[in-house]
Amino acid sequence: MTEVNRLDGGQINRAKEVSFTFDGHRYKGYEGDTLASALLANGERLMGRSFKYHRPRGVLTAGSEEPNALVELRKGGRQEPNTRATVIELFDGLEAAPQNAWPSLRFDAMAVNDRFSNFLTAGFYYKTFMWPKAFWEKIYEPIIRKAAGLGSISFEEDPDLYDKGFLHCDLLIIGSGPSGLAAALTAGRSGARVILADEDFRMGGRLNSETLALGDQSGADWAAAAIAELADMPNVRLMSRTTIVGAFDHGTYGAVERVQDHVAVPQEGKPRQIFWRIYSRRALLCAGAMERPIAFADNDRPGVMLASAVRSYLNRWAAAPAQEIAIFTNNDDGHRTAADLIAKGVSVPAVIDVRADAPSVAGTELLAGAEVIGTSGRLGLSSVTVRLANGQTRKVNCGALAVSGGWNPNVHLTCHQRGRPQWDADLAAFVPGTDLPVGMSVAGAAMGQLSTAQALSSGACGAATALEAIGITASAIDLPEAEDAPISLKPFWHVSGGKSRAWVDLQNDVTVKDVKLAHQENFVSVEHLKRYTTLGMATDQGKTSNMLGLAVMAELTGKSIPETGTTIFRPPYTPVAMGTLAGRATGKHFHPTRKTPSHRWAEEQGAVFTEVGDWLRAQWFPKAGETHWRQSVDREVLQTRNSVGVCDVTTLGKIDVQGKDAAAFLNKMYANAFAKLPVGKVRYGLMLREDGIAYDDGTAARFAEDHFVVTTTTANAVLVYRNMEFARQCLFPDMDVQLISTTEAWAQFAVAGPNARKLLQKVVDPEFDLSNEGFPFMACGEVTVAGGCRARLFRISFSGELAYEIAVPTRYGDALVRRLMEAGEEFGVVPYGTEALGVMRIEKGHAAGNELNGTTSALNLGMGRMVSKKKDCIGNTLSEREGMNEEDALKLVGFRPVKSDETISAGAHLMNASGAVNAKVDQGYVTSAAYSPVLESSIGIGFLKNGDARKGEIIRAVNPLAGQEIQVEVVSAHFVDPEGERLRA
Amino acid sequence: MHSLKSITALAASSAQVDSFDGLTIQERADCAFASLAARRGEEAQCAAGAQALLGAELPAPGKGVLGEPYSCFWMGADQWMISAGYAAHETLDSEVKEAVGAAGSVTEQSDGWCRFDLEGARLGDVLERLCNVDLLAMQVGDVSRSRLEHMACFIWCLEPGQKVAIYAPRSSAGSLHHGLVEAAHSVL
Amino acid sequence: MMIDHPLLGLRDAQEFTYLGDASLIDRPDWRSDTAQEEFHDYLYLRDNPAGEHRELWYHEAGDRSWLVVTRNMLTHEITQVELARDVARARGRSK
């Protein structure tokens, strides 16, 4: 293909030619082109098919508001649907494919939809697919999904990196057109910390697209000089290719920087996009304005474009959309397009101006008081039909039509916190209201200051005012002389009386007729209009169509436009990929991984790990020859119960509690009493929520009168600490108590089994007496190990065996576990993981997370008597509520299958031995189940109504999901050593 | 001297160093830490005891003091973290406790934390990808706690714009280190 | 959102954990004759004002302070931030 429509000049780098493909054809363009400008330069106006009717479509705009020219960019994992050809920076090797076209862009089989358009009007889903109901999921929906929708994705993993970041500034300037640059120069020269962000890859905004002079320079040259000056300022950060996508509370803005979207393959290890969170003290919105179209019959034909876009392609990219371009306008701005085209040697057959008193234009014919009532051309415009002022029609041959319906200020970000824009009758447009986000002000065209001179001065003034509010003085800067044309617009929204459909929302295929239908069916509120017709939905969020839809509705209801309303603009301003929001927090980096002190050693042992919260814990330690996890777990349990086992229990939360009121504080925290716990002793404690439900348990070890070390479950460590701080600061602010987490500081190992003492005696230094008398059950104390390493020793047991927990500073944890294994070799010591830990605690009937499940009270857990009635503690008052103390309350008991080869499943519901199986007669449920290698049977524990009194009863454990129903005997939850003789041995 | 061999937070025998063009990331395994919290009603006595040990006043919120052998930063209301070289001050908690007596609660924290020092001309460019700390606004001794790689870390400014120390929970040292290195790769 | 921490200045709300109505400070006396009812109301009844709301935020990724933040539920404007401990004392809480 050749660049038939490429002109001279422009801001493209002709020294750097770029080759790309679109729809399978190869083209060339230049560095600085967009995909749209390069395609136009190559004579291609057809860029896609429409969403619903598959009508041929070309490009409407030259910016991010583009509704039509959506393409699939790249291939494979990098394939990205719905990218706008107008903002895709051209790079060598770019591959783009049109969307919604099959088998090809030029011949699209689904274009048959267009013939049936009478059936596909607004609301057609709701009306057509209501019956029969069963057809929806299997027939209608899959067909509609295939036919409709925008682009497609590859389902391959995105290979690129995304990042996030944080920036701070005094003044964030959004947009780098004339107002943004004047603001940045003012603020930058004052020394303030400035961020200037623009979504374009070339800063300057409309200055790059217009031929208007600033002083004795062209707009583009003035912009380039300003940007060069700003780039040299250390206090100014220029962020091109950066869209401010949201204005959030208290001066926080979200920004997407497309760092490497303009290269085929991003550099290894470098992000493709960065999501920035910008903390600003003040922000100045200089986002400019968007031109709006006029609706007329068949106004969607490729070649019908906004006049400002024609000037952008012409002046910035040196690409003429066609050889002959007519103009259709309701204001003087449109006339500029004619002058620019003529200056570049492009033929302008006519300027069609709806105003009867329109000024004449040199070099072309003016058709004043005329309207475009139709277009023709198969896959692109070849002529337009004009209804002249005198009522006659005339055909005007042209390959493109530049349409100008006036300008809409870009108020979007001013609305992100529900600000309502105000109607400006002179502009016939909404301008920012007074309820702006805190710290934001608006300048330039975004404020309705449409001339270049106004933009410059309001930008400079806006920056100075914003800075003054935060105590920074900025001096006025010299501004160049610039165009200052008055507003000259006749509000005009759509041409009536055309034979064909007039399109309002090109992206969603919404026509004037659809809006009329919505009105006819009483969907007149703008919010209803949007949802009924889909006007303003999808990737462009109605940037070029909302006003038009609103104006048509206003006309139908006989109300004014401001009475009709505006839709609310919400973040993001332009679409943001999910990957960008995720940043680097993907896969295993979604959360930090916490490793236990023995992790390296456990890896060497070939341990299998499991995630417990953020922690990785050894689940079991397979030995050679073991092919099923149960073999490893059974061995670990039996060996621990028969001799000795070691388990890393560092993950339990540890909170250091000190102060004169430490004991009194723990009395408040735990349901049971702690005040009288002697120094050197540990006590089990149960914590309740204020509503009386149990939520965590652990131990508190008293190291001194005013010093406890409290443990929490692994899962609740953060929550317990938070609740303790709440109690300390908000409930008991005068207690002398200090808290700090020490979970990480100590490597702690359980040493359990009949040989635990013998093993520890080989590791703990000999001056410490570990005998049953010297260090009895529930004792704690400071000791040294391995010849003087400081350590803490607790005689506590989760397994039910004679057991200790020993802790050393974390850095020695790896060495300690090795030492324990070495010392235990003569006893056949085994390391055990969380599975064996779980089996042993179920065998012992200890409650854990499954039992402390947010619905159970101390009474349910069989610990009702532990809740002290003599003191205040969190939860004890409400635990006495009637409903929580019923006679047949659920009680924790154990279960064994009647047939020893059957398996109890956790979650199974308990039913009486005979009778119905349903929720009404539910007797409780199994919370935890395991195979007990000691009992050589499946066992379970759980909650049974009045369970204490039902031991020996045969009931049923049913699992309707798995179709399982087995008979179980109700037994004590303490399967192993119910008298607790072992742990006191 | 006992016979247990220590390992670093990254489970190695020596501290990790990663060098980039414009930034060095240095793991510090040689620091002892102890937290100090003033007892209620004895704040002045606690402060006096601590000052005698530190040779400086206990720092105000958001601040730290660098000294030899003791440094200290503010952690929370009436709570500070004191640090010193590990080799000479393995039982730092006892030293602090001795200094403040019953006026302060002291807790051993040496192995509760890992520390990475980030130093170089490109520090700011890397740090802005990691956390919301405003490095440009930080003076020597300023300490800010914020989320970094989803963890609550302390970031202590040791040299404005040039050097910070980052403290994070020790068990997550691997994740933190990975995050720091990835960010450095991403920028440098 | 940014919360103006009384000790540390403006901090990103992301560093905080939200709890709820600051009335949670006013925990009833367990010895009261109507303790059950009072605790019930304390725990379950909340005002839902379309305007200023005093609420508890915890600086979990920061200095572990509990704060009482006065925030307008309609605009998110934060008009006052206090240390919850000071508020608690002012409301008569002690040990």
Side-chain angles (χ1 to χ4, degrees), chain A residues 166 168 193 237 270 589 593 600 656 658 660 736 738 744 790 811 819, chain B residues 3 11 40 42 105-108 111 128 132 134 171 175 178 185 188:
Chain A
F166 306 86
H168 302 260
R193 285 172 75 181
R237 185 180 187 120
K270 310 287 187 217
H589 306 300
T593 301
R600 187 176 76 171
D656 200 61
Q658 297 192 44
K660 289 189 287 293
D736 176 40
Q738 293 83 39
E744 320 257 336
R790 57 156 139 188
R811 69 185 64 205
R819 186 65 53 88
Chain B
S3 58
R40 181 137 317 284
E42 293 169 59
S105 293
V106 180
T107 305
E108 155 70 26
D111 289 352
E128 70 187 19
N132 67 8
D134 186 3
S171 65
S175 290
H178 175 87
H185 267 304
L188 306 173

mmCIF file of all heavy atoms in Angstrom, chain A residues 166 168 193 237 270 589 593 600 656 658 660 736 738 744 790 811 819, chain B residues 3 11 40 42 105-108 111 128 132 134 171 175 178 185 188:
data_model
loop_
_atom_site.group_PDB
_atom_site.id
_atom_site.type_symbol
_atom_site.label_atom_id
_atom_site.label_comp_id
_atom_site.label_asym_id
_atom_site.label_seq_id
_atom_site.Cartn_x
_atom_site.Cartn_y
_atom_site.Cartn_z
ATOM 1 N N PHE A 166 4.098 5.594 43.569
ATOM 2 C CA PHE A 166 3.506 6.654 44.388
ATOM 3 C C PHE A 166 4.265 7.954 44.118
ATOM 4 O O PHE A 166 5.493 7.961 44.132
ATOM 5 C CB PHE A 166 3.622 6.305 45.874
ATOM 6 C CG PHE A 166 3.052 4.942 46.210
ATOM 7 C CD1 PHE A 166 3.832 3.791 46.078
ATOM 8 C CD2 PHE A 166 1.740 4.814 46.637
ATOM 9 C CE1 PHE A 166 3.309 2.539 46.371
ATOM 10 C CE2 PHE A 166 1.214 3.564 46.938
ATOM 11 C CZ PHE A 166 1.993 2.425 46.799
ATOM 12 N N HIS A 168 4.322 12.403 44.785
ATOM 13 C CA HIS A 168 3.835 13.510 45.608
ATOM 14 C C HIS A 168 4.079 14.822 44.866
ATOM 15 O O HIS A 168 5.115 14.968 44.207
ATOM 16 C CB HIS A 168 4.596 13.557 46.935
ATOM 17 C CG HIS A 168 4.481 12.286 47.734
ATOM 18 N ND1 HIS A 168 3.623 12.144 48.791
ATOM 19 C CD2 HIS A 168 5.108 11.090 47.603
ATOM 20 C CE1 HIS A 168 3.727 10.924 49.293
ATOM 21 N NE2 HIS A 168 4.627 10.259 48.581
ATOM 22 N N ARG A 193 6.593 21.905 43.539
ATOM 23 C CA ARG A 193 6.727 20.552 42.970
ATOM 24 C C ARG A 193 5.523 20.306 42.074
ATOM 25 O O ARG A 193 4.385 20.286 42.532
ATOM 26 C CB ARG A 193 6.773 19.509 44.081
ATOM 27 C CG ARG A 193 8.105 19.484 44.805
ATOM 28 C CD ARG A 193 8.026 18.584 46.023
ATOM 29 N NE ARG A 193 8.051 17.168 45.654
ATOM 30 C CZ ARG A 193 7.979 16.190 46.552
ATOM 31 N NH1 ARG A 193 7.856 16.473 47.841
ATOM 32 N NH2 ARG A 193 8.032 14.926 46.175
ATOM 33 N N ARG A 237 7.935 17.293 36.999
ATOM 34 C CA ARG A 237 7.974 15.963 36.409
ATOM 35 C C ARG A 237 6.991 15.939 35.242
ATOM 36 O O ARG A 237 5.795 16.162 35.417
ATOM 37 C CB ARG A 237 7.549 14.929 37.452
ATOM 38 C CG ARG A 237 7.679 13.495 36.978
ATOM 39 C CD ARG A 237 7.232 12.564 38.104
ATOM 40 N NE ARG A 237 7.493 11.179 37.774
ATOM 41 C CZ ARG A 237 8.278 10.374 38.491
ATOM 42 N NH1 ARG A 237 8.884 10.823 39.565
ATOM 43 N NH2 ARG A 237 8.451 9.114 38.142
ATOM 44 N N LYS A 270 11.192 -4.790 32.570
ATOM 45 C CA LYS A 270 10.671 -3.422 32.699
ATOM 46 C C LYS A 270 9.155 -3.444 32.488
ATOM 47 O O LYS A 270 8.648 -4.204 31.660
ATOM 48 C CB LYS A 270 11.290 -2.486 31.654
ATOM 49 C CG LYS A 270 12.802 -2.549 31.581
ATOM 50 C CD LYS A 270 13.463 -1.890 32.777
ATOM 51 C CE LYS A 270 14.964 -1.821 32.592
ATOM 52 N NZ LYS A 270 15.707 -2.033 33.841
ATOM 53 N N HIS A 589 3.237 -13.317 44.241
ATOM 54 C CA HIS A 589 3.523 -12.008 44.840
ATOM 55 C C HIS A 589 2.257 -11.275 45.251
ATOM 56 O O HIS A 589 2.277 -10.096 45.564
ATOM 57 C CB HIS A 589 4.339 -11.154 43.879
ATOM 58 C CG HIS A 589 5.571 -11.854 43.434
ATOM 59 N ND1 HIS A 589 6.525 -12.268 44.319
ATOM 60 C CD2 HIS A 589 5.965 -12.285 42.224
ATOM 61 C CE1 HIS A 589 7.474 -12.918 43.659
ATOM 62 N NE2 HIS A 589 7.148 -12.948 42.393
ATOM 63 N N THR A 593 5.210 -14.001 51.423
ATOM 64 C CA THR A 593 5.331 -15.352 51.964
ATOM 65 C C THR A 593 6.149 -15.277 53.245
ATOM 66 O O THR A 593 7.219 -14.678 53.261
ATOM 67 C CB THR A 593 6.041 -16.266 50.954
ATOM 68 O OG1 THR A 593 5.281 -16.263 49.757
ATOM 69 C CG2 THR A 593 6.165 -17.685 51.482
ATOM 70 N N ARG A 600 14.466 -23.772 55.633
ATOM 71 C CA ARG A 600 15.572 -24.293 54.812
ATOM 72 C C ARG A 600 15.848 -25.762 55.157
ATOM 73 O O ARG A 600 16.018 -26.605 54.281
ATOM 74 C CB ARG A 600 16.824 -23.438 55.037
ATOM 75 C CG ARG A 600 17.963 -23.791 54.107
ATOM 76 C CD ARG A 600 19.145 -22.868 54.289
ATOM 77 N NE ARG A 600 19.889 -23.202 55.499
ATOM 78 C CZ ARG A 600 21.064 -22.664 55.810
ATOM 79 N NH1 ARG A 600 21.621 -21.747 55.019
ATOM 80 N NH2 ARG A 600 21.695 -23.020 56.898
ATOM 81 N N ASP A 656 3.944 -9.863 73.474
ATOM 82 C CA ASP A 656 4.595 -9.564 74.744
ATOM 83 C C ASP A 656 3.718 -8.546 75.475
ATOM 84 O O ASP A 656 3.445 -7.474 74.949
ATOM 85 C CB ASP A 656 5.981 -8.972 74.441
ATOM 86 C CG ASP A 656 6.923 -9.062 75.608
ATOM 87 O OD1 ASP A 656 7.209 -10.198 76.037
ATOM 88 O OD2 ASP A 656 7.380 -8.006 76.086
ATOM 89 N N GLN A 658 3.341 -6.388 78.916
ATOM 90 C CA GLN A 658 4.034 -5.958 80.131
ATOM 91 C C GLN A 658 3.301 -4.800 80.778
ATOM 92 O O GLN A 658 2.438 -4.170 80.174
ATOM 93 C CB GLN A 658 5.473 -5.521 79.780
ATOM 94 C CG GLN A 658 6.336 -6.647 79.227
ATOM 95 C CD GLN A 658 7.809 -6.270 79.173
ATOM 96 O OE1 GLN A 658 8.344 -5.696 80.114
ATOM 97 N NE2 GLN A 658 8.459 -6.604 78.075
ATOM 98 N N LYS A 660 2.308 -2.870 84.928
ATOM 99 C CA LYS A 660 1.798 -3.196 86.268
ATOM 100 C C LYS A 660 0.399 -3.808 86.189
ATOM 101 O O LYS A 660 0.012 -4.596 87.028
ATOM 102 C CB LYS A 660 1.752 -1.923 87.138
ATOM 103 C CG LYS A 660 3.130 -1.408 87.535
ATOM 104 C CD LYS A 660 3.055 -0.291 88.556
ATOM 105 C CE LYS A 660 2.566 1.022 87.948
ATOM 106 N NZ LYS A 660 3.501 1.629 86.967
ATOM 107 N N ASP A 736 -1.825 0.415 83.026
ATOM 108 C CA ASP A 736 -0.402 0.410 82.685
ATOM 109 C C ASP A 736 -0.105 -0.928 82.021
ATOM 110 O O ASP A 736 0.177 -1.925 82.683
ATOM 111 C CB ASP A 736 0.453 0.605 83.942
ATOM 112 C CG ASP A 736 1.935 0.510 83.613
ATOM 113 O OD1 ASP A 736 2.326 1.036 82.558
ATOM 114 O OD2 ASP A 736 2.681 -0.097 84.395
ATOM 115 N N GLN A 738 1.671 -2.512 78.202
ATOM 116 C CA GLN A 738 2.329 -2.268 76.927
ATOM 117 C C GLN A 738 2.352 -3.565 76.116
ATOM 118 O O GLN A 738 2.569 -4.641 76.674
ATOM 119 C CB GLN A 738 3.769 -1.766 77.150
ATOM 120 C CG GLN A 738 3.844 -0.378 77.793
ATOM 121 C CD GLN A 738 3.704 -0.444 79.313
ATOM 122 O OE1 GLN A 738 4.223 -1.348 79.950
ATOM 123 N NE2 GLN A 738 2.998 0.515 79.886
ATOM 124 N N GLU A 744 7.898 -13.054 65.366
ATOM 125 C CA GLU A 744 9.028 -13.351 64.493
ATOM 126 C C GLU A 744 10.335 -13.524 65.251
ATOM 127 O O GLU A 744 11.280 -14.072 64.718
ATOM 128 C CB GLU A 744 9.241 -12.190 63.517
ATOM 129 C CG GLU A 744 7.974 -11.597 62.987
ATOM 130 C CD GLU A 744 7.691 -12.051 61.592
ATOM 131 O OE1 GLU A 744 8.639 -12.431 60.896
ATOM 132 O OE2 GLU A 744 6.514 -12.036 61.210
ATOM 133 N N ARG A 790 20.511 -18.232 74.730
ATOM 134 C CA ARG A 790 19.306 -17.959 75.515
ATOM 135 C C ARG A 790 18.071 -18.598 74.864
ATOM 136 O O ARG A 790 17.961 -18.641 73.632
ATOM 137 C CB ARG A 790 19.121 -16.476 75.722
ATOM 138 C CG ARG A 790 19.052 -15.671 74.468
ATOM 139 C CD ARG A 790 18.310 -14.419 74.822
ATOM 140 N NE ARG A 790 18.883 -13.232 74.221
ATOM 141 C CZ ARG A 790 18.466 -12.026 74.540
ATOM 142 N NH1 ARG A 790 17.553 -11.855 75.455
ATOM 143 N NH2 ARG A 790 18.979 -10.985 73.939
ATOM 144 N N ARG A 811 17.381 -16.431 64.578
ATOM 145 C CA ARG A 811 18.570 -16.725 63.762
ATOM 146 C C ARG A 811 19.191 -18.087 64.117
ATOM 147 O O ARG A 811 19.939 -18.644 63.334
ATOM 148 C CB ARG A 811 19.601 -15.608 63.898
ATOM 149 C CG ARG A 811 20.276 -15.488 65.260
ATOM 150 C CD ARG A 811 21.189 -14.282 65.300
ATOM 151 N NE ARG A 811 20.415 -13.049 65.145
ATOM 152 C CZ ARG A 811 20.922 -11.917 64.664
ATOM 153 N NH1 ARG A 811 22.178 -11.850 64.294
ATOM 154 N NH2 ARG A 811 20.160 -10.843 64.568
ATOM 155 N N ARG A 819 20.070 -29.507 65.801
ATOM 156 C CA ARG A 819 20.585 -30.042 67.048
ATOM 157 C C ARG A 819 19.577 -31.014 67.702
ATOM 158 O O ARG A 819 19.918 -32.062 68.197
ATOM 159 C CB ARG A 819 20.903 -28.882 68.010
ATOM 160 C CG ARG A 819 21.583 -29.293 69.312
ATOM 161 C CD ARG A 819 22.981 -29.865 69.075
ATOM 162 N NE ARG A 819 23.811 -28.984 68.281
ATOM 163 C CZ ARG A 819 24.584 -28.005 68.787
ATOM 164 N NH1 ARG A 819 24.605 -27.799 70.089
ATOM 165 N NH2 ARG A 819 25.324 -27.265 68.003
ATOM 166 N N SER B 3 27.069 -23.110 70.881
ATOM 167 C CA SER B 3 27.518 -23.736 69.646
ATOM 168 C C SER B 3 26.473 -23.696 68.524
ATOM 169 O O SER B 3 26.594 -24.417 67.544
ATOM 170 C CB SER B 3 27.891 -25.194 69.943
ATOM 171 O OG SER B 3 26.754 -25.853 70.486
ATOM 172 N N ALA B 11 18.112 -16.767 55.159
ATOM 173 C CA ALA B 11 18.519 -18.155 55.369
ATOM 174 C C ALA B 11 19.878 -18.464 54.736
ATOM 175 O O ALA B 11 20.093 -19.530 54.171
ATOM 176 C CB ALA B 11 17.454 -19.131 54.854
ATOM 177 N N ARG B 40 3.061 3.621 82.214
ATOM 178 C CA ARG B 40 2.110 4.706 82.454
ATOM 179 C C ARG B 40 2.477 5.474 83.708
ATOM 180 O O ARG B 40 2.742 4.874 84.758
ATOM 181 C CB ARG B 40 0.708 4.115 82.580
ATOM 182 C CG ARG B 40 -0.376 5.122 82.804
ATOM 183 C CD ARG B 40 -1.600 4.836 81.959
ATOM 184 N NE ARG B 40 -1.262 4.471 80.598
ATOM 185 C CZ ARG B 40 -0.875 5.350 79.662
ATOM 186 N NH1 ARG B 40 -0.788 6.630 79.947
ATOM 187 N NH2 ARG B 40 -0.579 4.935 78.461
ATOM 188 N N GLU B 42 5.163 6.947 84.236
ATOM 189 C CA GLU B 42 6.610 6.994 84.471
ATOM 190 C C GLU B 42 7.360 7.360 83.208
ATOM 191 O O GLU B 42 8.516 6.991 82.999
ATOM 192 C CB GLU B 42 7.080 5.644 85.031
ATOM 193 C CG GLU B 42 6.514 5.420 86.429
ATOM 194 C CD GLU B 42 6.726 4.001 86.922
ATOM 195 O OE1 GLU B 42 7.886 3.587 86.997
ATOM 196 O OE2 GLU B 42 5.721 3.326 87.213
ATOM 197 N N SER B 105 8.963 -0.875 79.700
ATOM 198 C CA SER B 105 8.815 -2.280 79.305
ATOM 199 C C SER B 105 9.729 -2.505 78.113
ATOM 200 O O SER B 105 9.661 -1.773 77.129
ATOM 201 C CB SER B 105 7.371 -2.570 78.891
ATOM 202 O OG SER B 105 6.525 -2.452 80.006
ATOM 203 N N VAL B 106 10.578 -3.494 78.235
ATOM 204 C CA VAL B 106 11.572 -3.738 77.188
ATOM 205 C C VAL B 106 11.346 -5.134 76.626
ATOM 206 O O VAL B 106 11.095 -6.074 77.374
ATOM 207 C CB VAL B 106 12.999 -3.624 77.772
ATOM 208 C CG1 VAL B 106 14.044 -3.888 76.683
ATOM 209 C CG2 VAL B 106 13.206 -2.248 78.380
ATOM 210 N N THR B 107 11.413 -5.237 75.319
ATOM 211 C CA THR B 107 11.189 -6.531 74.682
ATOM 212 C C THR B 107 12.274 -6.812 73.658
ATOM 213 O O THR B 107 12.602 -5.951 72.836
ATOM 214 C CB THR B 107 9.803 -6.548 73.985
ATOM 215 O OG1 THR B 107 8.811 -6.211 74.946
ATOM 216 C CG2 THR B 107 9.500 -7.916 73.404
ATOM 217 N N GLU B 108 12.803 -8.007 73.747
ATOM 218 C CA GLU B 108 13.794 -8.476 72.778
ATOM 219 C C GLU B 108 13.166 -8.467 71.386
ATOM 220 O O GLU B 108 12.079 -9.024 71.187
ATOM 221 C CB GLU B 108 14.211 -9.896 73.186
ATOM 222 C CG GLU B 108 14.751 -10.787 72.091
ATOM 223 C CD GLU B 108 16.122 -10.369 71.594
ATOM 224 O OE1 GLU B 108 16.870 -9.740 72.361
ATOM 225 O OE2 GLU B 108 16.437 -10.672 70.439
ATOM 226 N N ASP B 111 15.482 -10.493 66.410
ATOM 227 C CA ASP B 111 15.180 -11.370 65.292
ATOM 228 C C ASP B 111 13.728 -11.240 64.845
ATOM 229 O O ASP B 111 13.224 -12.050 64.079
ATOM 230 C CB ASP B 111 15.504 -12.818 65.656
ATOM 231 C CG ASP B 111 17.014 -13.020 65.739
ATOM 232 O OD1 ASP B 111 17.754 -12.083 65.362
ATOM 233 O OD2 ASP B 111 17.434 -14.101 66.182
ATOM 234 N N GLU B 128 9.916 5.100 44.873
ATOM 235 C CA GLU B 128 8.554 5.530 44.505
ATOM 236 C C GLU B 128 7.759 4.396 43.867
ATOM 237 O O GLU B 128 6.552 4.487 43.738
ATOM 238 C CB GLU B 128 8.601 6.755 43.584
ATOM 239 C CG GLU B 128 9.119 6.458 42.194
ATOM 240 C CD GLU B 128 9.312 7.723 41.353
ATOM 241 O OE1 GLU B 128 9.392 8.813 41.931
ATOM 242 O OE2 GLU B 128 9.374 7.588 40.117
ATOM 243 N N ASN B 132 4.637 4.622 49.602
ATOM 244 C CA ASN B 132 4.166 5.999 49.438
ATOM 245 C C ASN B 132 4.971 7.022 50.221
ATOM 246 O O ASN B 132 4.546 8.157 50.367
ATOM 247 C CB ASN B 132 2.677 6.082 49.811
ATOM 248 C CG ASN B 132 2.442 5.830 51.289
ATOM 249 O OD1 ASN B 132 3.391 5.731 52.063
ATOM 250 N ND2 ASN B 132 1.188 5.717 51.687
ATOM 251 N N ASP B 134 7.424 9.896 50.934
ATOM 252 C CA ASP B 134 7.894 11.007 50.103
ATOM 253 C C ASP B 134 9.363 11.270 50.423
ATOM 254 O O ASP B 134 9.691 12.059 51.295
ATOM 255 C CB ASP B 134 7.040 12.246 50.403
ATOM 256 C CG ASP B 134 7.376 13.406 49.482
ATOM 257 O OD1 ASP B 134 8.237 13.238 48.575
ATOM 258 O OD2 ASP B 134 6.793 14.485 49.660
ATOM 259 N N SER B 171 10.216 -12.854 58.986
ATOM 260 C CA SER B 171 9.777 -14.054 58.273
ATOM 261 C C SER B 171 9.469 -13.754 56.812
ATOM 262 O O SER B 171 9.467 -14.650 55.979
ATOM 263 C CB SER B 171 8.544 -14.659 58.948
ATOM 264 O OG SER B 171 7.450 -13.775 58.860
ATOM 265 N N SER B 175 10.333 -12.251 50.670
ATOM 266 C CA SER B 175 9.387 -11.506 49.841
ATOM 267 C C SER B 175 9.818 -10.055 49.696
ATOM 268 O O SER B 175 9.725 -9.468 48.621
ATOM 269 C CB SER B 175 7.983 -11.545 50.446
ATOM 270 O OG SER B 175 7.444 -12.834 50.332
ATOM 271 N N HIS B 178 12.818 -9.854 47.382
ATOM 272 C CA HIS B 178 12.357 -10.049 46.011
ATOM 273 C C HIS B 178 11.742 -8.753 45.481
ATOM 274 O O HIS B 178 12.032 -8.315 44.368
ATOM 275 C CB HIS B 178 11.338 -11.185 45.955
ATOM 276 C CG HIS B 178 10.728 -11.390 44.618
ATOM 277 N ND1 HIS B 178 11.302 -12.191 43.657
ATOM 278 C CD2 HIS B 178 9.611 -10.859 44.057
ATOM 279 C CE1 HIS B 178 10.555 -12.142 42.564
ATOM 280 N NE2 HIS B 178 9.512 -11.349 42.786
ATOM 281 N N HIS B 185 15.215 -3.670 39.347
ATOM 282 C CA HIS B 185 15.296 -4.138 37.960
ATOM 283 C C HIS B 185 14.372 -3.338 37.062
ATOM 284 O O HIS B 185 14.697 -3.004 35.932
ATOM 285 C CB HIS B 185 14.829 -5.606 37.886
ATOM 286 C CG HIS B 185 15.946 -6.595 38.001
ATOM 287 N ND1 HIS B 185 17.023 -6.581 37.161
ATOM 288 C CD2 HIS B 185 16.133 -7.628 38.848
ATOM 289 C CE1 HIS B 185 17.839 -7.566 37.499
ATOM 290 N NE2 HIS B 185 17.323 -8.219 38.533
ATOM 291 N N LEU B 188 15.987 0.376 36.973
ATOM 292 C CA LEU B 188 17.390 0.634 36.604
ATOM 293 C C LEU B 188 17.879 -0.255 35.460
ATOM 294 O O LEU B 188 17.310 -1.273 35.181
ATOM 295 C CB LEU B 188 18.272 0.441 37.836
ATOM 296 C CG LEU B 188 17.846 1.272 39.057
ATOM 297 C CD1 LEU B 188 18.664 0.892 40.277
ATOM 298 C CD2 LEU B 188 17.986 2.756 38.762
#
